[in-house]
Amino acid sequence: MSQDVARVEAHVGDEAKEVIISKEESAHDQPDWLVDLARVVNSPGYRRWKAMVAAIGGCSHPIHLAGESLIVDARTGEVLHTYRTDDEPSGRLLVACGNRRASVCPACSEVYRADTFQLIRAGLSGGKGAPETVSAHPRAFVTLTAPSFGPVHSERDGKPCRPRRRDKLCEHQRPVGCHVRHDRHDPRLGQPLCPDCYDYTGAVLWQAHAGGLWHRFTLEVRRSLASGAGMSRREFSRLVRVSFAKVAEYQRRGLVHFHAVIRLDGPGSSQEPPPDWADHLLLVRAVSAAVQRVRLVTPPSPLGRWELRWGDQLDIRPILLDPNAEGLSERAVAGYIAKYATKGAEASGTVDHRLSCPACAGRGRLSLMATCGLCHGTGLKPGLHLDALPVTEHARRMIRTCWDLGARPEFAALRLRPWAHMLGFRGHFSTKSRRYSTTLGDLRSARAQHRAAEAREHHGLPAVGDATTLVLGHWRFAGIGYTPGEAIMAEHIRQRVQTARKIAAEAEDG
């Protein structure tokens, strides 16, 4: 190729177009991303870079590592294999970021979604270390919601949002109803009809205590099951074990609700079935009773105290083997939960990154007498301003409420400022009981072992786990992310990898 031009192969659908950029044009007329894209595809190490990006699925924010790894014969000290990043064209190794949020990294979030699907499915159908007999245990799919803190715009299947008298106004002189038939893409969905009537303080405090409410719910379910069976909790625990897995999902109004699988097992492990009297009916009744009884009171404050509870909307459905029966199939439940495991608060109109200063964690002070020098006392990351955030007005008010409450000493333990970007929610998005099924860590370890076994077989080395070899490595952090041109090519690679995986999955399902 001539030294006066750079050629870029830009893929559009199934067609490939070649863009030719002269040096003069690239210096004066072409955008920076296009110039960088030409540099990437014309660099000598492009094929190797492309292979590394494909190996991590087209990760959007890969970690760059520099260093080396050696496989050594433990008996003789002979070096059997060496890998050094100095031998790479870029001098670095790319490793996937592993972020679960689709808004941050679609590639890694898809891996997380697939792992969550396998974890939930194993607890329903068996596999990954769980026995297939768990499919015969009583199981229910439960959705727990937040209570109302004020009316919000909602989609009601083509019906008016909130039909009320058109001349009726709230104390702030705003209509108490809405006669609009919102579609699912209407930006007003989830926004309060009257922001001044909406209880933002109560909403943020409920959000901050949602994890505590879930914990109390799991305890109360066990009490309700024992009560329904006519025995003490200690006697019940000798005969039945309760296992669960749950994921949190943000609603449009900015509050989380929980989707959970609850299963009854025998006392020893998931391999043991529960007694015959511990059936679906007992489980459903216990869940409903537990939801009604769970209460949690906020810390004393001059603002008042809130008694926190679950919302009135409770959905309990049995999970059945027969997908045609009146219930939910195992695959549908696993897919439903896995889908929400990769979503964050950004689905409700907020941001997907922390707003608090990393030096002072949002306090504005490093000590009682010392103001934080990084944020100059604001508690915000340098350069941020709450009123300038690219969020909905409802999310902005939730964030502002988190910020104001986080400055009050009675709510210091809630750490509302560091979690303001999550609108106050500080719990785990997905959790499970110890004996429900396998763990995400085990699934990741199995995947890493499989890849290591393939690599060793390719290089003719002893199998993974062979006691005659040692793996020695020295690595250091060398950067993160892509240049603008690399990011464009990485996204193209991610889409191709995702398509290939989807085709393979459909072929496997038959």
Side-chain angles (χ1 to χ4, degrees):
M1 184 178 65
S2 169
Q3 294 183 352
D4 294 328
V5 298
R7 290 181 172 83
V8 179
E9 190 180 82
H11 293 264
V12 182
D14 295 329
E15 299 180 0
K17 297 182 179 179
E18 190 174 60
V19 181
I20 300 178
I21 307 172
S22 70
K23 283 188 175 181
E24 184 178 354
E25 286 178 331
S26 59
H28 301 287
D29 302 326
Q30 300 299 332
D32 292 342
W33 65 264
L34 188 56
V35 175
D36 188 54
L37 183 59
R39 176 194 63 80
V40 171
V41 300
N42 287 283
S43 65
Y46 172 66
R47 289 186 179 276
R48 174 56 186 157
W49 176 86
K50 185 177 179 181
M52 278 200 291
V53 174
I56 57 176
C59 171
S60 299
H61 302 280
I63 309 298
H64 298 225
L65 298 178
E68 62 180 359
S69 177
L70 304 148
I71 298 178
V72 180
D73 190 309
R75 295 167 298 185
T76 65
E78 178 187 0
V79 177
L80 303 177
H81 181 73
T82 303
Y83 172 81
R84 293 186 177 90
T85 54
D86 288 343
D87 300 328
E88 296 284 2
S90 64
R92 297 178 178 184
L93 174 68
L94 300 184
V95 179
C97 68
N99 197 297
R100 69 160 191 87
R101 289 176 294 180
S103 63
V104 176
C105 181
C108 291
S109 72
E110 177 59 23
V111 174
Y112 187 91
R113 185 204 63 77
D115 284 350
T116 302
F117 176 86
Q118 294 296 336
L119 185 151
I120 300 297
R121 183 78 182 272
L124 295 173
S125 309
K128 310 296 182 183
E132 294 183 0
T133 53
V134 296
S135 59
H137 295 196
R139 303 159 301 167
F141 180 60
V142 180
T143 299
L144 304 172
T145 62
S148 173
F149 295 96
V152 298
H153 292 281
S154 306
E155 179 192 4
R156 301 186 184 277
D157 298 325
K159 298 178 182 178
C161 172
R162 296 186 67 83
R164 301 290 188 274
R165 283 176 49 188
R166 296 181 183 273
D167 59 346
K168 189 174 182 181
L169 305 176
C170 71
E171 60 181 294
H172 304 102
Q173 300 304 303
R174 294 189 178 96
V176 298
C178 173
H179 294 265
V180 176
R181 291 173 169 83
H182 299 291
D183 62 51
R184 59 194 301 260
H185 301 294
D186 194 323
R188 289 173 291 181
L189 291 177
Q191 307 296 301
L193 271 67
C194 176
D196 294 324
C197 290
Y198 195 85
D199 183 10
Y200 281 98
T201 300
V204 165
L205 290 176
W206 186 94
Q207 191 100 298
H209 289 88
L213 282 171
W214 168 257
H215 175 66
R216 294 198 178 194
F217 167 74
T218 60
L219 298 177
E220 195 60 50
V221 163
R222 294 176 172 92
R223 294 191 185 98
S224 298
L225 284 166
S227 176
M231 58 183 68
S232 68
R233 184 181 171 186
R234 178 173 295 181
E235 291 174 320
F236 183 82
S237 64
R238 294 195 187 105
L239 301 173
V240 181
R241 181 182 295 274
V242 181
S243 298
F244 67 85
K246 72 106 168 102
V247 67
E249 178 204 357
Y250 272 84
Q251 298 173 299
R252 292 278 192 120
R253 56 180 173 148
L255 298 173
V256 297
H257 59 192
F258 294 129
H259 303 289
V261 173
I262 304 177
R263 188 187 70 210
L264 301 183
D265 300 326
S269 67
S270 58
Q271 298 186 13
E272 297 182 43
D276 293 339
W277 48 263
D279 56 12
H280 281 101
L281 183 59
L282 177 68
L283 177 58
V284 170
R285 287 176 175 173
V287 168
S288 181
V291 169
Q292 297 300 321
R293 283 202 286 263
V294 170
R295 294 289 187 273
L296 196 155
V297 180
T298 61
S301 169
L303 300 177
R305 301 191 77 178
W306 280 257
E307 184 182 69
L308 309 176
R309 58 179 180 81
W310 295 109
D312 295 331
Q313 295 182 355
L314 172 65
D315 187 22
I316 310 174
R317 303 190 205 179
I319 303 172
L320 306 174
L321 282 171
D322 183 4
N324 298 318
E326 191 172 339
L328 292 174
S329 70
E330 297 167 344
R331 186 176 185 86
V333 170
Y336 191 70
I337 290 182
K339 178 177 70 171
Y340 290 112
T342 62
K343 293 186 176 181
E346 66 277 359
S348 59
T350 183
V351 292
D352 60 3
H353 56 82
R354 286 201 171 187
L355 307 174
S356 57
C357 171
C360 64
R363 293 186 296 272
R365 292 183 174 275
L366 299 177
S367 66
L368 185 62
M369 301 298 293
T371 300
C372 177
L374 184 62
C375 67
H376 304 290
T378 66
L380 287 165
K381 282 183 180 178
L384 286 183
H385 195 285
L386 297 185
D387 292 335
L389 293 174
V391 299
T392 65
E393 187 57 36
H394 178 55
R396 193 184 317 280
R397 288 202 177 210
M398 291 278 286
I399 291 171
R400 173 63 71 182
T401 303
C402 287
W403 210 257
D404 294 343
L405 294 179
R408 304 183 71 91
E410 64 268 28
F411 299 129
L414 300 180
R415 302 185 68 242
L416 289 171
R417 286 191 170 185
W419 293 104
H421 67 297
M422 302 293 286
L423 310 184
F425 179 64
R426 55 200 178 97
H428 293 287
F429 265 84
S430 60
T431 59
K432 72 174 191 66
S433 57
R434 182 176 301 174
R435 301 194 184 186
Y436 174 80
S437 69
T438 186
T439 66
L440 291 174
D442 287 342
L443 292 174
R444 292 168 186 148
S445 177
R447 185 162 52 247
Q449 291 287 326
H450 174 72
R451 290 173 177 171
E454 286 185 329
R456 288 204 175 200
E457 183 179 357
H458 175 73
H459 293 289
L461 298 170
V464 175
D466 192 315
T468 63
T469 60
L470 297 174
V471 179
L472 307 176
H474 175 71
W475 300 98
R476 63 179 176 82
F477 177 76
I480 189 171
Y482 298 114
T483 65
E486 290 174 342
I488 292 171
M489 290 307 303
E491 173 60 17
H492 172 65
I493 293 169
R494 182 195 70 80
Q495 292 177 8
R496 298 191 70 170
V497 170
Q498 184 179 17
T499 301
R501 288 175 176 172
K502 183 177 179 180
I503 292 172
E506 291 174 351
E508 184 178 342
D509 292 340

